[in-house]
Amino acid sequence: MRFSSIILVILLASCATPVKQQQEALLLKNICCESIDEFDYQSVNLNKGVTLKFNNKSLIYDFGDGKTYFSALQIPSNAGTPYISVESYFNGSLIGQYFEPIFLVLNENYEGIEVFSLKLRFLDANLFTNPNAHMAGHFQLAEGAKYIIVFTGKFQSKTPIAEIAPSTSMVMIGSTPTVYSNQGDSIKLERSPTGSIKLKLLEID
């Protein structure tokens, strides 16, 4: 009985809160500010990378498409126009829910330069590059950019499908090697109002 309870706890911990429930909780919260120039912009070092978390502890604003959690960033004045990589990680430990970011880029006077989203692609876990499956993309920072606001909204496009290739792996159970085969899978993903993304300068040769 105790063993069954442990398994149940592990399964529950690996599951993310349903998207509908997350959206309902978001609608009950108040927005933080009257305008974007009131935001507290966090200074970031994109060389080292920054991880942004969007959850019920995050600030909320309505950018014209309904309430959304957001992060407001201040980038160095000498940043130039580098390429920035974007990694959006799945909620829980299962491939399914992810935060699809929208980027609003402002100049030093809090005036909009551009607003855009990315066509993120699915990258499966890889022992040598990144052990966590995620959605990935990149963009080039616009000239004159001083602030970046990251949020999400309603998308007209269909959510992507995560295509997981067949694979074989081996683990040691005691002194016995055990081989596991994965036949591959296609998983329909869900856009979520919560999640976490990582931004970092992209090195291009």
Side-chain angles (χ1 to χ4, degrees):
M1 186 70 171
R2 183 181 177 185
F3 182 71
S4 299
S5 299
I6 293 174
I7 293 177
L8 179 60
V9 169
I10 293 174
L11 290 174
L12 290 175
S14 67
C15 297
T17 303
V19 169
K20 183 179 179 180
Q21 187 174 331
Q22 296 179 40
Q23 292 170 335
E24 290 172 347
L26 175 59
L27 290 175
L28 296 175
K29 296 180 178 294
N30 297 321
I31 63 174
C32 69
C33 313
E34 293 186 2
S35 64
I36 60 177
D37 57 355
E38 296 179 6
F39 293 174
D40 182 15
Y41 290 86
Q42 172 190 357
S43 181
V44 295
N45 184 341
L46 293 175
N47 286 300
K48 294 182 178 179
V50 58
T51 298
L52 309 175
K53 295 183 179 181
F54 305 88
N55 52 41
N56 57 12
K57 296 181 180 179
S58 303
L59 295 176
I60 297 168
Y61 193 71
D62 186 342
F63 294 90
D65 197 23
K67 294 178 180 177
T68 173
Y69 300 114
F70 74 92
S71 287
L73 311 177
Q74 177 179 335
I75 55 180
S77 300
N78 60 350
T81 58
Y83 285 88
I84 298 175
S85 68
V86 180
E87 298 175 351
S88 182
Y89 290 90
F90 295 106
N91 295 338
S93 60
L94 302 177
I95 295 172
Q97 294 180 13
Y98 74 101
F99 184 92
E100 179 129 9
I102 298 173
F103 299 90
L104 173 58
V105 182
L106 311 172
N107 63 17
E108 60 182 6
N109 298 316
Y110 303 102
E111 298 168 334
I113 296 177
E114 60 180 346
V115 58
F116 59 91
S117 60
L118 303 173
K119 187 175 181 180
L120 300 178
R121 69 189 189 280
F122 171 75
L123 294 181
D124 202 357
N126 187 303
L127 181 63
F128 301 101
T129 56
N130 193 326
N132 298 306
H134 60 282
M135 304 296 289
H138 68 273
F139 66 91
Q140 186 175 16
L141 193 63
E143 185 174 356
K146 181 64 177 178
Y147 306 101
I148 301 177
I149 302 173
V150 187
F151 61 100
T152 193
K154 299 173 184 176
F155 292 83
Q156 299 298 322
S157 60
K158 295 181 180 179
T159 52
I161 303 293
E163 298 290 351
I164 302 175
S167 63
T168 301
S169 59
M170 183 181 70
V171 297
M172 297 297 294
I173 300 179
S175 58
T176 304
T178 303
V179 176
Y180 291 93
S181 295
N182 174 12
Q183 301 302 317
D185 199 2
S186 296
I187 302 174
K188 184 176 181 180
L189 304 178
E190 282 188 288
R191 296 185 177 105
S192 170
T194 66
S196 66
I197 69 170
K198 183 177 180 179
L199 305 179
K200 188 176 182 180
L201 288 185
L202 183 63
E203 295 183 3
I204 298 179
D205 297 330

